[in-house]
């Protein structure tokens, strides 16, 4: 039955605190060295040097101090000396046939004996066909569902579930193959404490886990080594079960289970759990085969995830490139990021975004008061960039920016430049495996009593940032790189510009003129300009007025030049126009217009000044060098001066 219930934020924080307490309690349980085994099997530990039994489960305590070869079983003796845990050996002990699992990489050597499950001896052959069938599946949901169905058909368990573990530790049932009369669990979530981190760590060493009977009191281990540390049963098949977990299973209506880890890159990402309502046990070799099947599923899930992630990254990269590319040019930064055909909101979906850059603040989408938002950002924990539950985690700040639950901060530089993405609160329902409230437990640390579906309406949170947080950080890095490159380009451009007039300078002319002459342009002309009697302006009006006159002259020369021409200030009161694709007539026309434009009155402060200019025009020939061309143009300019100035000569 589903019970809708809206929890206030205080209740959610209380529940999270209780979950943290359970996880802490689980971490303290001695799972590895629990000191007992499940009673369907037998355990003996043999001194590697003497062959003497030094630890024994209480059902065979009589073997303490004896050599195991006294049992008279050649296959058992051989197994102790040669077998590996992954490959059990069939042997007889005291008249009963067992599957013998030997752990020879420890001292004392651990020997586990599991009675043969005759009726399931050959069930493992079905696993090969299941693996072959699953190998062709690429959809993760279908893969897990089909795998769970195959495992159920092979094992005969009442129910086989597949769990997926989320990044925050909690899990979700993503496949549920069950008998018709059983309550459905598909899609339900469960807290991390149901399978705590300590238990998950054991699955990285031991990929399957058998719990044969929830009412089994187990067998204590007896020992001749009282001073030794408790026997580490991490990789043992028979390791006894936490009383807490046994109660959990009983509350869930499970009598026996067997689970198989799904591991990807040394991380447990999921699990298949087989559950039965009566005692049921699988033989060792069948479990080994199902471990292989689970590993195959893990490999296929990993491959599918890698393909999805690669596609997502490529698509995100394309969107970032479209946004960042204009930054390498002269495009306004705020416009490129917030107002183009594509904006940063196409990379990081959000309700709105704020850009703080170069002392200015710009926004796009729905954003609260920029001042309030930036004040909140300054108060948030330094180093933490992503927030998804601001009203829950920092309610005293959330009230300053109503409606905002998620914040993602992307630094753009050391001076506080940044992007701030915001998301509003999104109410969503989460269906849990049992009521997560305190009323469904005997006390905080006890397991839930009921596992019927329980719906929680979650408020105070935005949609998770998820992979978009990585996209945002990548966007930030690329924006920073573009801005650095842009700054370097601007510095390089400044090195080739005259700071007073904004025209190109002598360095630029030397580089470009050499390149133009080397390129064998069909026609190229140089016009050399010099102001007539400019010194008198500096002497009578001062250098500030003189600089204003030079700036005005530069503007007028740029105004009369053609689009293809290059206007250069050589220094002082000397200017050059390089006319590309011009003959002598074309260049002389440009020079004449320039002389006329400069001769017009120039207003500086309260004064109106008039100045003239002399020009010399030279056309390049096939043997002309850059220095020779400038010298010839300079000589032509002096001919103009000698003729009275305010004219152009060739």
């Amino acid at each position: 039955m589903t019970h809708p219930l809206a929890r206030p934020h205080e209740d959610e924080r209380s529940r999270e605190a209780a979950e943290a307490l359970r996880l802490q309690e689980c971490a303290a349980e001695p799972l590895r060295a629990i000191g007992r085994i499940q009673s369907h099997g037998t355990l003996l530990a043999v001194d590697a040097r003497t062959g003497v039994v030094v630890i024994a489960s209480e059902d065979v305590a009589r073997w303490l101090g004896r050599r195991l070869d006294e049992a008279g079983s050649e296959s058992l003796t051989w197994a102790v000396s040669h077998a590996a845990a992954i490959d059990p050996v069939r042997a007889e002990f005291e008249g009963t046939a067992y599957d013998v699992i030997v752990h020879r990489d420890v001292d004392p050597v651990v020997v586990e004996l599991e009675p043969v499950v005759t009726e399931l001896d050959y069930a493992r052959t079905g696993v090969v066909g299941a693996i072959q069938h699953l190998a062709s599946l690429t959809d993760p949901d279908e893969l897990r569902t089909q795998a769970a169905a195959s495992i159920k058909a092979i094992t005969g368990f009442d129910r086989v579930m597949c769990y997926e573990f989320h990044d925050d530790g909690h899990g979700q049932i993503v496949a549920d193959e069950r008998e018709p009369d059983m309550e459905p669990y598909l899609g339900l979530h469960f807290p991390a404490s149901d399978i705590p981190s300590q238990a998950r760590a054991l699955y990285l060493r031991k990929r399957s886990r058998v719990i044969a009977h929830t009412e089994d009191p187990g067998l204590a281990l007896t020992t001749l080594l009282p001073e030794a540390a408790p026997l580490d049963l991490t990789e043992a098949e028979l390791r006894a079960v936490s009383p807490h977990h046994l109660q959990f299973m009983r509350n869930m209506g499970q009598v026996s289970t067997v689970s198989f880890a799904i591991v990807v890159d040394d991380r447990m990402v999921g699990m298949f759990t087989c559950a039965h309502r009566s005692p049921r046990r699988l033989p060792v070799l069948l479990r080994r085969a199902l471990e292989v099947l689970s590993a195959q599923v893990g490999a296929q899930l990993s491959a599918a995830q890698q393909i999805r992630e690669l596609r997502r990254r490529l698509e995100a990269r394309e969107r970032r490139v479209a946004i960042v590319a204009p930054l390498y040019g002269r495009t306004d930064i705020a416009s490129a990021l917030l107002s183009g055909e594509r904006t940063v909101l196409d990379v990081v979906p959000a309700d709105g975004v704020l850009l703080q850059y170069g002392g200015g603040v710009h926004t796009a989408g729905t954003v609260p008061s920029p001042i309030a938002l930036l004040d909140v950002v300054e108060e948030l924990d330094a180093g933490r960039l992503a927030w998804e539950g601001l009203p829950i985690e920092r309610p005293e700040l959330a009230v300053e920016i109503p409606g905002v639950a998620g914040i993602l901060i992307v630094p753009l530089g050391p001076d506080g430049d940044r992007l701030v993405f915001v998301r509003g609160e999104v109410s969503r329902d989460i269906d849990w495996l049992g009521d997560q409230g305190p009323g469904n437990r005997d006390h905080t640390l006890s397991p839930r009593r009921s596992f019927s579906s329980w719906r929680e309406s979650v408020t105070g949170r935005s949609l998770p940032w998820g992979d978009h947080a990585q996209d945002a950080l990548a966007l930030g890095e690329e924006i920073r790189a573009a801005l650095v490159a842009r700054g370097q380009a601007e510095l390089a451009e400044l090195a080739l510009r005259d700071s007073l007039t904004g025209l190109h300078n002598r360095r630029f002319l030397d580089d470009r003129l050499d390149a133009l002459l080397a390129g064998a342009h069909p026609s190229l002309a140089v016009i050399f300009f010099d102001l007539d009697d400019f010194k008198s302006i500096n002497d009578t009006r001062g250098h500030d007025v003189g600089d204003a006159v030079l700036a005005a002259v530069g503007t007028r020369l740029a105004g009369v030049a053609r689009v293809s021409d290059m206007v250069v200030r050589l220094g002082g009161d000397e200017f050059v126009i390089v006319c590309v694709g011009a003959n002598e007539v074309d260049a002389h026309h440009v020079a004449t217009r320039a002389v006329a434009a400069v001769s017009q009155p120039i207003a500086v402060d309260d004064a109106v000044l008039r100045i003239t200019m002399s020009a010399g025009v030279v056309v390049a020939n096939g043997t002309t060098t850059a220095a020779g061309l400038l010298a010839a143009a300079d000589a032509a300019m002096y001919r103009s001066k000698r003729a009275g100035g305010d004219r152009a000569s060739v």
Side-chain angles (χ1 to χ4, degrees), residues 286-309:
L286 177 54
R287 302 202 301 269
R288 294 288 183 270
L290 291 172
E291 289 173 5
V292 174
L293 184 150
S294 297
Q296 173 69 21
V297 170
Q300 290 179 233
L301 289 174
S302 177
Q305 172 60 27
Q306 289 174 4
I307 292 171
R308 287 198 307 274
E309 178 64 12

Side-chain angles (χ1 to χ4, degrees), residues 35 39 104 112 141 192 221 264 273 277 345 349 412 463 488 521 570 591:
S39 62
R104 297 178 54 248
E112 297 184 88
D141 291 334
L221 297 181
V264 174
T273 291
R277 291 171 286 187
L345 292 175
L412 297 181
L463 290 175
Q488 292 172 341
H521 282 270
L570 288 184

Side-chain angles (χ1 to χ4, degrees), residues 65 96 121 178 275 293 329 341 355 383 427 476 510 588 612:
T96 302
D121 236 2
R178 56 188 171 79
L293 184 150
E341 183 178 345
L355 169 65
S427 297
D510 291 341
H588 192 271
T612 61

Side-chain angles (χ1 to χ4, degrees), residues 138-274:
T138 57
D139 178 74
D141 291 334
E142 183 183 6
L143 173 62
R144 288 180 289 219
T145 299
Q146 291 291 325
S150 296
I151 294 172
K152 185 177 185 302
I154 292 167
T155 63
F157 273 73
D158 291 332
R159 166 177 252 143
V160 176
M161 295 174 287
C162 183
Y163 303 154
E164 179 184 17
F165 297 123
H166 293 264
D167 290 339
D168 65 356
H170 96 277
Q172 185 177 7
I173 300 170
V174 292
D176 180 25
E177 296 297 310
R178 56 188 171 79
E179 292 299 304
D181 61 332
M182 300 180 76
E183 185 175 3
Y185 291 155
L186 181 62
L188 301 186
H189 296 249
F190 56 85
S193 59
D194 281 5
I195 308 173
S197 57
Q198 183 185 192
R200 299 185 199 192
L202 292 174
Y203 275 102
L204 296 179
R205 297 271 302 275
K206 177 77 177 64
R207 296 299 171 88
S208 65
R209 171 67 162 143
V210 171
I211 301 176
H213 202 311
T214 54
E215 300 297 339
D216 177 19
L219 297 171
L221 297 181
T222 59
T223 180
L224 296 179
L225 309 171
E227 302 301 321
L231 186 64
D232 187 343
L233 297 174
T234 296
E235 299 186 19
E237 304 287 338
L238 297 171
R239 176 168 51 86
V241 187
S242 157
H244 177 94
H245 188 67
L246 289 175
Q247 186 60 51
F248 178 95
M249 289 178 59
R250 286 192 288 267
N251 290 358
M252 206 170 180
Q254 300 171 345
V255 174
S256 56
T257 62
V258 58
S259 299
F260 303 93
I262 303 174
V263 177
V264 174
D265 295 331
D266 295 324
R267 187 171 66 93
M268 190 174 174
V269 300
M271 171 191 291
F272 289 108
T273 291
C274 311

Side-chain angles (χ1 to χ4, degrees), residues 326-534:
L327 296 180
Y328 286 90
R330 296 181 179 275
T331 304
D332 176 71
I333 293 171
S335 297
L337 297 178
L338 305 182
S339 305
E341 183 178 345
R342 285 191 175 184
T343 73
V344 294
L345 292 175
D346 291 308
V347 176
V348 183
D351 294 318
V353 61
L354 177 147
L355 169 65
Q356 184 178 19
Y357 183 79
V361 174
H362 312 269
T363 63
T366 303
V367 179
S369 161
I371 295 175
L373 177 58
L374 290 174
D375 286 344
V376 167
V377 168
E378 290 294 332
E379 291 294 325
L380 292 174
D381 301 345
R384 180 175 171 183
L385 303 178
W387 299 78
E388 297 170 354
L390 197 66
I392 298 172
E393 298 179 81
R394 297 296 299 272
E396 78 284 3
L397 296 179
V399 297
E400 303 297 330
I401 47 174
V404 174
I407 292 178
L408 181 60
I409 305 164
V410 182
L412 297 181
D415 300 324
D417 295 336
R418 56 197 160 194
L419 286 165
V420 181
F421 295 91
V422 295
R423 284 179 175 175
E425 179 178 322
V426 176
S427 297
R428 56 196 176 105
D429 293 334
I430 299 179
D431 293 323
W432 290 94
L433 184 63
D435 187 338
Q436 301 300 300
N440 195 28
R441 300 177 187 270
D442 293 338
H443 54 80
T444 300
L445 300 180
S446 66
R448 301 186 295 285
R449 290 191 298 268
S450 168
F451 292 87
S452 295
S453 175
W454 178 80
R455 176 164 292 175
E456 176 189 27
S457 293
V458 177
T459 60
R461 295 188 180 276
S462 70
L463 290 175
W465 292 109
D467 292 333
H468 293 306
Q470 297 177 358
D471 295 339
L473 295 179
L475 175 65
E477 291 177 2
E478 291 170 8
I479 291 174
R480 290 194 294 272
L483 294 178
V484 169
R486 179 182 176 129
Q488 292 172 341
E490 289 174 349
L491 289 175
E493 175 71 10
L494 287 174
L496 300 176
R497 291 278 179 182
D498 174 57
S499 59
L500 177 62
T501 64
L503 300 176
H504 292 301
N505 59 18
R506 180 63 181 259
R507 179 179 174 186
F508 174 86
L509 177 65
D510 291 341
D511 291 344
R512 292 294 295 146
L513 196 52
D514 282 334
L516 289 170
L517 291 171
H521 282 270
S523 55
L524 180 71
V526 171
I527 310 170
F528 201 112
F529 299 95
D530 186 271
L531 298 180
D532 298 327
D533 196 25
F534 178 70

Side-chain angles (χ1 to χ4, degrees), residues 557-576:
L557 290 178
V560 301
R562 302 172 309 166
V563 174
S564 59
D565 295 341
M566 294 181 294
V567 184
V568 178
R569 182 190 175 203
L570 288 184
D573 59 350
E574 295 179 332
F575 296 83
V576 166

